[in-house]
Amino acid sequence: MKVAVLGYGTVGFGVYEMLKQAEGLEAGPVLVRPGKDDEPFKVSSIEQITEDASVDVVAEVMGGVEPAFSYACAALKAGKHFVTSNKALVAAKGPELAKLAKDKQVGFLFSAACGGGVPFLHNLSLAVQSDEILSVGGILNGTTNYMLDQMQSTGMSYADALSDAQKLGYAEADPTADVTGLDALRKIMLACAVAFNVLPVDGLLHEGIDSFSAADSSYIQSKGLTCRLIASGGKAENGSIYAFVEPVLFERDAAECSVLKNFNMAKYNGKNSGRIVMIGQGAGRWPTASAVLRDCSDISCGRRFMMKPSCEAGSADNACCAHRYLVRIPAGIAFPLPVEACEEADGVSYCRTGEVSVSAMHEAVNKLRADGNSVFFAAIGE
Ligand code: HSE
């Protein structure tokens, strides 16, 4: 199968190089920006790909919703299978693309959009065929895992850790989505769509690591805890879907603490399978390119869908999940939710809350921040 590639950045270069050596796959034209088509395999208009009858699969690795969405529609309408690593695109337009792919009787796979090289969505989409999935989630952002690992294991500053993650090709072009938890949120949206046939688009909550300071790192480590950014999704007992991202503090012997550098730990809990855990590199050129090629190979083996064409957008309800939190607020401020204990250090208070709902916690912190207060919070892991 001949695979055309849209984008020739960190991942696009990796995909093209891997295609040249892959068994059963062939490297086709690569779409680059006008004026950058300085080699014979590069083209600068999407029509040169959609009108090329020898192209079977279009692999999009550009990122962003537009022009990726227009190109995806053009490729599917031209009868090409469509594979993407673009979580922003699938989170915004996934159901539409799945329906269009079904109409055109071609495939639409996006394993590389969640978990980097980890075959999470690949396995999850197989598991849903024979088991009921109860929950999905884990460490789904390589940039923030790398940063948290460096900050906590070497004492590196937040700015240096982010700069390193960018140099290593883990971060998005604009790393805001990584550090605020939005990138991990998009990934849990995709996992929910695959697992529950509902793409949650409203009621989602995300807290990243952009408030996590070196002082917070020292404090939690003095308590024997380690911070990881965790995405959580699932079906509550009342049938509603929950989906949120927040930092979580774990005892040092927890499995999450052994996930280092740019690695991800993606999990699902099946009613019959029980917990399934997958660990591997969640970001970077070669791991992500390997997932794109895995999807291309899946297409050549006859697989067509990860998100079912019947998947619809829906809402998340994060009032149905509750846990305890550690919250850092300025000293002298009262935290507006039930607090079990507070400790003051260097002008700030670290308070442990009782069990509070995820939605109540995020709302309380948003109000404090709107009043100009600096706040960090993290759930206390089980
Ligand atoms: N910026 C993303 C991450 C890339 O760090 O996980 C892989 O999706």
Side-chain angles (χ1 to χ4, degrees), residues 87 112-113 116 140-144 170-172 178 183 187 264 282-283 288:
K87 52 251 154 170
L140 297 181
N141 181 269
T143 300
T144 46
Y170 304 152
E172 301 300 299
D178 291 301
D183 179 84
K187 291 167 177 168
N264 279 192
T288 310

